[in-house]
Amino acid sequence: MFSKNKKYNFKLKTAFLMLLAVCIQATAQTTAWKPASFEIVKSNYKTFKTTQYAHVFSGSKHNIVRLATELQGLTGVELPLNTYKNRINGALKLKFKESVKVLIGVFQEKGNDEYFQFNDDTKAKLILENGVTITGLPPVNVYAVSCQKGLNYFKNKGLFVFLGVVKESQKLEPRNANFPDGKLWNPTFIVEGFSDEKPLFEIIGGENKPVIDEGMSGTEGIQGGFEGGRVVKVGDTYHMFPTERAGEKGVDYYYDRVKTKIGHWTSKDAIHWKRESTIYQASGVYAVTEDDNPMNDRRSAIWSYMPVFNEKANKWYGYYLAYTVSKTIEPNHSFGRIWRCESTVEGINGIGGPYKDMGIIMEPGLDSQPWEGRQGVASFFPYKVGDKYFGFYSGAYPFESWADYPKKSGKGWFVALAESQSLEGPWTRLNKGLEPIKTIHPQFVENPIVSQLPNGLYIAVFDGGPEGWGHHLPNMIGYTLSKDGINWGEAHYLPIETKVDKWWDIMRTPLCLIPEGNDVYTIVYNAIDLKRRFHPTGMVKVKLNKDVMNSRLEELKKEK
């Protein structure tokens, strides 16, 4: 391996050893520390596993979104949020079988006495600077505090995070993990299986890789992969109608989201898919004016096709979104309009079409509100409640007022309800569309798809928003429940990467929640690997907990 030249050999060996030392140090810094056991004495405090998504305080929704690898898998203690923030907590009593180091997360916000801070004379050693990110809260530095065998009291006043206990002999290498400020995240989201609430769905597995990916049969001519649409099951066959980000070869990837198609794919197992046909093809022509002007091609990009079977008409209806596209103004998808089409083939097996357009059912107009924004009516999904029909419609890039039209838009992805006596329409914005529904999530709900659970609860699965592109959102599939199809509850999010290999960076849109029997449901979804232009499609299975389902219904019935 080494040269016969001793001087050169010495330098090479030295360089090799230095490199080896760096590698060993890096390995040590990214290897999980081994936990030590402990007992909570005379307290009903619960413990939690220190992992991403863990809810770290009882009575709160604050959860971990960034975590140093060293802390992974330790056992933390859920402290009651309000008691500690108000500095009225008693001492936390812990019993150790041996000498240990306790890992305490301290919030870095000067001048705020809600947060505990170590005194300068405290024998606490800073181990991980910016070592944890917790939604809605300041940056966290992690300190190690040595404790003797036996009973120990923690009389800290103010809020801190109890992240775990390791043996006294555990070597702790200090470093700066450089994780971001938790205040970038809105703390109002509940991750299934990580909060105090029992999960409605258990993630039971699925495919560890995309089920439709670049190079597979049917993807020829689709440069950018998939985003949005719906999957339905007819008999033993799944039918998927995705937005295909077709673009053109040799043209920048940005054009993938302009030159789009609606495809029709089928599968017997939701894993192996065959492309059957093209339902619609967008023009891909950019607008010539900045406003919502009929001079512009208003079908430049086509998205979010939603097939719905109309039993009365005995045929499939399709609802889809057509945009005007600006080349220079954010968002480039502007002034969305919802079209309705019908299959020319009657019956449940006419799902493959062909389809004929029946006209626009919702669009920007005199009954629009500024919150619908420049993106306009950005999605639509109809569903039946009793003798009436309701439809989720959405808006994005809101205007603060109409004075901001057409270019000065803000950020936000919202939904509201429209109602009709029939699937054909006319559709009327509920409450004149004055306010979007913010009970689900205050900032982001996109492409909800509604169905009913066995006890009659309405459920909508939706895109929970990216953790990327400058956004700090849940980055998971979300769902919301309703007892009446009109009033919708707080969102819960499904961390499917806890049971399947995470091949994506950004989770996008669920296309279905299909019952398979034995309380098992199939979810087909789109997601993004940021290293690639092509956005693949994945699949996961979840199992419904009927006891939780029934308790959620009773809780909703008690609400006014």
Side-chain angles (χ1 to χ4, degrees), residues 401-521:
S401 71
W402 286 125
D404 292 335
Y405 174 88
K407 292 195 295 183
K408 189 180 177 183
S409 60
K411 294 294 176 68
W413 290 258
F414 306 114
V415 294
L417 290 177
E419 62 178 335
S420 175
Q421 296 299 318
S422 71
L423 283 170
E424 293 82 8
W427 292 88
T428 304
R429 288 165 169 85
L430 273 180
N431 192 33
K432 298 182 180 179
L434 294 177
E435 290 292 334
I437 299 169
K438 292 190 176 181
T439 55
I440 303 171
H441 187 276
Q443 295 172 309
F444 197 105
V445 179
E446 194 169 60
N447 295 315
I449 294 175
V450 180
S451 56
Q452 280 186 279
L453 296 176
N455 67 348
L457 266 176
Y458 293 87
I459 183 169
V461 292
F462 63 91
D463 175 355
E467 208 285 274
W469 304 317
H471 303 297
H472 296 87
L473 291 158
N475 202 34
M476 286 176 274
I477 293 167
Y479 76 83
T480 174
L481 300 174
S482 172
K483 64 183 178 183
D484 57 12
I486 301 171
N487 300 288
W488 291 88
E490 185 175 17
H492 289 61
Y493 298 88
L494 301 176
I496 65 176
E497 61 266 40
T498 59
K499 292 292 178 70
V500 300
D501 293 345
K502 186 180 179 184
W503 50 263
W504 64 91
D505 297 300
I506 296 176
M507 175 57 66
R508 292 300 302 175
T509 307
L511 278 63
C512 58
L513 182 68
I514 296 175
E516 307 288 11
N518 297 320
D519 302 322
V520 172
Y521 290 75

Side-chain angles (χ1 to χ4, degrees), residues 8 43 90 145 176 211 248 259 291 305 379 428 430 432 534 554:
Y8 175 80
S43 170
V145 180
N176 190 339
V211 295
E248 287 185 7
K259 190 80 173 283
D291 60 344
Y305 187 91
S379 71
T428 304
L430 273 180
K432 298 182 180 179
F534 192 95
E554 292 306 311

Side-chain angles (χ1 to χ4, degrees), residues 230-277:
R230 190 186 186 197
V231 176
V232 296
K233 193 175 184 182
V234 179
D236 64 351
T237 302
Y238 298 87
H239 296 262
M240 177 167 60
F241 296 83
T243 303
E244 298 172 348
R245 303 170 71 255
E248 287 185 7
K249 288 186 177 179
V251 180
D252 188 78
Y253 72 93
Y254 194 73
Y255 194 55
D256 297 349
R257 58 199 314 271
V258 181
K259 190 80 173 283
T260 58
K261 297 178 182 178
I262 304 299
H264 175 211
W265 296 66
T266 60
S267 174
K268 294 295 186 181
D269 57 8
I271 299 172
H272 304 92
W273 291 89
K274 177 185 177 185
R275 193 178 192 279
E276 301 288 352
S277 65

Side-chain angles (χ1 to χ4, degrees), residues 284-301:
V285 175
Y286 284 105
V288 295
T289 71
E290 297 176 343
D291 60 344
D292 187 12
N293 193 310
M295 290 177 61
N296 299 323
D297 188 327
R298 289 174 168 171
R299 294 174 64 89
S300 181

Side-chain angles (χ1 to χ4, degrees), residues 29-30 68-70 126-130 173-177 179:
Q29 290 178 346
T30 55
T69 307
E70 296 93 319
L126 177 59
I127 298 299
L128 293 169
E129 195 173 352
N130 302 302
E173 295 286 350
R175 71 181 180 100
N176 190 339
F179 288 140

Side-chain angles (χ1 to χ4, degrees), residues 245-386:
R245 303 170 71 255
E248 287 185 7
K249 288 186 177 179
V251 180
D252 188 78
Y253 72 93
Y254 194 73
Y255 194 55
D256 297 349
R257 58 199 314 271
V258 181
K259 190 80 173 283
T260 58
K261 297 178 182 178
I262 304 299
H264 175 211
W265 296 66
T266 60
S267 174
K268 294 295 186 181
D269 57 8
I271 299 172
H272 304 92
W273 291 89
K274 177 185 177 185
R275 193 178 192 279
E276 301 288 352
S277 65
T278 298
I279 303 296
Y280 283 103
Q281 167 74 66
S283 70
V285 175
Y286 284 105
V288 295
T289 71
E290 297 176 343
D291 60 344
D292 187 12
N293 193 310
M295 290 177 61
N296 299 323
D297 188 327
R298 289 174 168 171
R299 294 174 64 89
S300 181
I302 292 176
W303 288 71
S304 301
Y305 187 91
M306 299 292 173
V308 176
F309 188 68
N310 185 340
E311 292 183 0
K312 185 177 179 180
N314 191 34
K315 63 175 65 175
W316 285 92
Y317 286 5
Y319 299 83
Y320 66 92
L321 169 62
Y323 282 120
T324 299
V325 178
S326 169
K327 198 168 188 177
T328 57
I329 303 171
E330 188 183 19
N332 70 323
H333 288 157
S334 303
F335 315 122
R337 287 170 162 79
I338 304 298
W339 285 74
R340 184 178 74 84
C341 61
E342 295 181 1
S343 175
T344 60
V345 179
E346 291 189 353
I348 196 76
N349 293 318
I351 188 168
Y355 286 82
K356 62 177 180 179
D357 280 325
M358 304 304 291
I360 295 169
I361 63 162
M362 287 194 76
E363 64 181 326
L366 294 177
D367 56 350
S368 298
Q369 296 297 323
W371 69 262
E372 294 178 34
R374 182 175 173 89
Q375 204 156 27
V377 189
S379 71
F380 185 82
F381 187 87
Y383 57 96
K384 192 174 185 180
V385 178

